[in-house]
């Protein structure tokens, strides 16, 4: 699969994932009353998945940096992880919160559509790894970049929302 040529890329992506996870904790500390509010289930439905997106980039990158890990193990890990992540997205009930809060369609795209697509693509990449398809590593790289972009955009959206709630 030639994973050694991807070492620096996955090191960079994993570092970005862990750094952004830390910054997400800073975001939460900006408005702890808003996040802790029992009525703010929407905040938890939209905030927690961002931590999962960043953590996914860290964990997948770390697994791909393990020396001599067979493609079948990587593929199995990606398949199981993406299925679990899709289950988590359903568990957060973000779609229900989106409807109840009457958020714009663009928020649906960023908070529900893109993440679902990313984890479906990661599942496809896992299957591609199992069959040792040449493009599998490129697909994983693209998905991890997509998850970082989704998390950054959604975290920024949440920072603005929290700051507005704090000043009301």
């Amino acid at each position: 699969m030639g994973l050694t040529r991807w070492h620096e890329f996955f090191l960079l992506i994993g570092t970005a994932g862990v750094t952004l996870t830390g910054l997400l904790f800073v975001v939460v500390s900006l408005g702890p009353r808003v996040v802790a509010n029992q009525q703010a289930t929407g905040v938890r439905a939209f905030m927690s998945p961002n931590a999962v997106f960043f953590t996914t980039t860290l964990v997948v990158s770390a697994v791909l940096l393990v020396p001599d890990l067979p493609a079948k193990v990587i593929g199995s890990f990606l398949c199981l992880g993406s299925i679990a992540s899709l289950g988590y997205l359903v568990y957060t009930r973000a779609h229900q919160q989106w409807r109840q809060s009457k958020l714009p369609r663009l928020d649906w795209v960023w908070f529900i559509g893109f993440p679902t697509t990313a984890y479906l693509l990661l599942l496809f990449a896992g299957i591609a790894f199992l069959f040792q398809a040449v493009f599998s590593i490129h697909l994983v790289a693209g998905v991890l970049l997509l998850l970082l972009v989704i998390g950054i955009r959604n975290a920024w959206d949440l920072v603005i929302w929290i700051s507005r709630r704090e000043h009301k």
Side-chain angles (χ1 to χ4, degrees):
M1 288 258 131
L3 287 176
T4 55
R5 295 184 301 166
W6 288 87
H7 184 270
E8 283 76 22
F9 176 82
F10 289 112
L11 189 62
L12 175 68
I13 293 296
T15 302
V18 74
T19 302
L20 290 167
T21 302
L23 287 174
L24 197 57
F25 284 98
V26 173
V27 168
V28 171
S29 71
L30 293 175
R33 288 179 301 200
V34 174
V35 176
N37 183 351
Q38 289 295 346
Q39 309 302 331
T41 55
V43 173
R44 289 186 293 278
F46 296 120
M47 179 71 76
S48 297
N50 285 334
V52 173
F53 304 152
F54 295 144
T55 304
T56 299
T57 62
L58 168 65
V59 172
V60 171
S61 295
V63 166
L64 291 172
L65 289 173
V66 173
D68 303 321
L69 201 58
K72 301 268 187 209
V73 172
I74 294 170
S76 299
F77 170 78
L78 292 175
C79 289
L80 291 173
S82 59
I83 290 169
S85 297
L86 286 166
Y88 176 74
L89 289 177
V90 171
Y91 169 77
T92 64
R93 296 189 175 119
H95 190 272
Q96 180 181 9
Q97 290 298 323
W98 173 78
R99 269 186 307 197
Q100 287 175 354
S101 301
K102 297 179 178 150
L103 299 175
R105 289 191 193 277
L106 186 60
D107 283 345
W108 184 92
V109 169
W110 281 100
F111 283 99
I112 299 156
F114 283 157
T116 301
T117 301
Y119 285 118
L120 287 172
L121 287 172
L122 195 61
L123 176 62
F124 184 65
I127 294 167
F129 255 98
L130 290 173
F131 289 101
Q132 297 184 358
V134 177
F135 67 88
S136 59
I137 192 72
H138 294 88
L139 187 54
V140 171
V143 168
L144 295 184
L145 286 171
L146 179 60
L147 286 170
L148 283 177
V149 170
I150 292 167
I152 290 167
R153 186 268 177 202
N154 291 351
W156 178 251
D157 195 46
L158 288 165
V159 165
I160 292 170
W161 185 84
I162 288 172
S163 65
R164 287 181 182 160
R165 298 287 292 197
E166 280 287 309
H167 295 305
K168 281 188 175 182

